[in-house]
Amino acid sequence: MAKIILGKTGLEIEKNGFGALPIQRVTFEESSYLLRKAYENGINFIDTARAYTDSEEKIATAFKGWNDEYPRESIILASKTQGENRKDIRSDLETSLDKLETDYIDLYQIHNPSFCPTEGDGSGAYDELFDLKDEGLIRHIGFTSHKYELAEEAIDSGLYETIQFPFSYLTSSKELAIVEKCRANNLGFIAMKAMGGGLIKSSRATYAYINQFDNVVPIWGIQKIEELNEFLSYMKEEPKLDDELSRIISNERKELQGDFCRGCGYCEPCPQEIEISKCARMSLWIRRFPSEPSLTPEAQKMMKKIEDCTECGNCLSRCPYELNIPELLKKNYEDYQDILSGKVKI
């Protein structure tokens, strides 16, 4: 298994992290099994967030509130706050410490903020993070974003120790530039959306691609034991980027080029209760995976909600990728209806 130093934090972690967002969707028993198995097979970096509902509580439950079997210092915990002022950030941290049953968090990240907090900028956000670090409640300060400009600003500020940013073989030269800029500035780079928001079919190909970058730590979002077993097998016998995997990547890039929904969910909730992150990806999803689950009466009812879109603009203002979501929904709905009617074959 490969170890990596996470930039200027100096933290030594396994090159693959456990992304704890998906464990919101499984039971405490299931999440405990996944987390323990990951830990017992060498994964020592777990990334969660206050926004991930009961994820933090499930982590503490899995490791039995930290004891001799699961010593707290053996796991590098990362969490996040969506607060953009002193009060909200401290409140989030206090809640996270309580839910995680710990008195410190190794890496505390500001979670997809609308701006890049800096010292003395009037918001108090970064100043609060600095104070929390000074008090020993957090060990290191990180920045997460889906926007290139904000990530670049965070690097240039010299204030952050890590950057968490979308990165997979679907990303462009801009994302590659962020990876290299982090390397040049000794910032840890944490790759989210390494499976393209669930649209990448070959975990082996994406693992081999990301493994080329010795300063990148992917956090694999895991909610099923089959998924965990796949990544654990790659850690034991690392796949190489051979001709076969390169062809897979090339074909995937062609199919997924242009604007597409990554399923981050920041556009939601919708006032009309449209499940945007599912509906806006339906055309891709139904062609890339078994179609039956996407054609059920429940799925049809979900897609029909698109008719209720009022183009209010709420989703547009929140989408970090600046997608034209109403137009994307409309295209997906038209395509879906053509598939149901038999006009389009898949």
Side-chain angles (χ1 to χ4, degrees):
M1 292 183 292
K3 296 287 186 180
I4 186 172
I5 302 297
L6 191 60
K8 62 179 69 174
T9 69
L11 296 169
E12 184 178 26
I13 61 176
E14 213 292 321
K15 197 178 186 304
N16 297 277
F18 190 106
L21 183 153
I23 64 172
Q24 300 173 97
R25 308 180 192 123
V26 300
T27 66
F28 273 78
E29 182 180 2
E30 291 168 321
S31 60
S32 290
Y33 181 71
L34 290 170
L35 286 158
R36 289 175 194 160
K37 182 166 186 177
Y39 172 74
E40 289 160 6
N41 283 272
I43 293 178
N44 68 336
F45 179 61
I46 300 173
D47 179 85
T48 183
R50 180 80 296 276
Y52 299 167
T53 61
D54 61 2
S55 173
E56 293 172 320
E57 189 176 357
K58 284 175 174 171
I59 292 168
T61 299
F63 298 115
K64 302 176 182 178
W66 317 107
N67 53 27
D68 291 341
E69 185 180 5
Y70 303 109
R72 172 65 185 86
E73 62 274 12
S74 67
I75 295 179
I76 308 301
L77 282 179
S79 194
K80 311 181 192 77
T81 174
Q82 290 184 314
E84 295 186 354
N85 58 63
R86 281 186 176 273
K87 180 182 177 182
D88 290 346
I89 289 173
R90 186 166 289 266
S91 176
D92 274 356
L93 178 66
E94 289 172 350
T95 303
S96 291
L97 292 174
D98 178 61
K99 297 295 184 183
L100 288 164
E101 297 184 33
T102 184
D103 55 5
Y104 71 95
I105 290 175
D106 299 279
L107 174 63
Y108 201 52
Q109 304 156 99
I110 192 152
H111 194 176
N112 196 39
S114 59
F115 64 101
C116 176
T118 56
E119 288 179 302
D121 64 5
S123 72
Y126 186 86
D127 305 280
E128 184 64 22
L129 291 170
F130 183 86
D131 288 348
L132 293 170
K133 182 177 180 181
D134 193 50
E135 293 169 34
L137 299 175
I138 63 177
R139 299 275 173 91
H140 303 282
I141 300 172
F143 185 89
T144 83
S145 184
H146 292 252
K147 292 189 175 182
Y148 171 84
E149 293 79 9
L150 286 180
E152 188 174 49
E153 190 176 340
I155 298 171
D156 290 340
S157 74
L159 298 173
Y160 296 93
E161 298 169 87
T162 63
I163 298 292
Q164 186 172 148
F165 197 71
F167 187 66
S168 70
Y169 59 66
L170 298 178
T171 51
S172 68
S173 58
K174 280 190 171 184
E175 285 79 12
L176 283 169
I178 292 292
V179 170
E180 293 309 315
K181 195 163 188 176
C182 281
R183 183 198 302 278
N185 288 273
N186 194 28
L187 271 69
F189 185 96
I190 302 167
M192 60 164 131
K193 301 294 180 186
M195 293 293 292
L199 290 175
I200 289 176
K201 291 189 286 188
S202 174
S203 62
R204 187 175 183 84
T206 200
Y207 189 104
Y209 177 81
I210 288 179
N211 207 36
Q212 299 176 103
F213 301 89
D214 60 9
N215 67 320
V216 173
V217 178
I219 44 172
W220 306 111
I222 295 167
Q223 70 182 54
K224 297 178 182 177
I225 188 60
E226 296 83 6
E227 296 167 346
L228 177 60
N229 286 338
E230 279 186 24
F231 291 114
L232 292 179
S233 72
Y234 303 151
M235 287 165 56
K236 293 174 183 175
E237 188 174 344
E238 294 181 345
K240 304 300 180 185
L241 197 58
D242 55 19
D243 290 344
E244 178 189 357
L245 294 183
S246 294
R247 279 194 296 273
I248 289 173
I249 291 172
S250 178
N251 290 336
E252 295 269 88
R253 283 173 170 167
K254 289 175 184 176
E255 187 172 344
L256 293 170
Q257 64 184 339
D259 290 339
F260 66 93
C261 174
R262 277 76 166 177
C264 69
Y266 287 114
C267 58
E268 298 173 341
C270 168
Q272 303 304 316
E273 299 183 346
I274 299 168
E275 296 184 56
I276 298 172
S277 61
K278 294 180 181 178
C279 295
R281 296 192 292 166
M282 185 58 75
S283 289
L284 292 170
W285 193 265
I286 207 167
R287 285 168 170 77
R288 299 174 62 75
F289 301 100
S291 61
E292 288 80 7
S294 299
L295 298 173
T296 63
E298 293 78 14
Q300 292 179 45
K301 183 178 179 181
M302 176 188 73
M303 291 298 289
K304 188 173 176 58
K305 287 289 292 179
I306 293 174
E307 294 178 358
D308 297 336
C309 176
T310 63
E311 299 190 23
C312 65
N314 284 1
C315 56
L316 293 171
S317 65
R318 295 195 295 255
C319 177
Y321 300 99
E322 300 179 353
L323 299 175
N324 186 335
I325 293 174
E327 183 63 26
L328 198 56
L329 288 172
K330 181 181 177 182
K331 288 180 179 178
N332 272 266
Y333 190 43
E334 290 174 352
D335 182 56
Y336 189 75
Q337 290 176 307
D338 287 343
I339 292 169
L340 286 176
S341 67
K343 184 177 179 181
V344 171
K345 302 294 183 183
I346 55 172

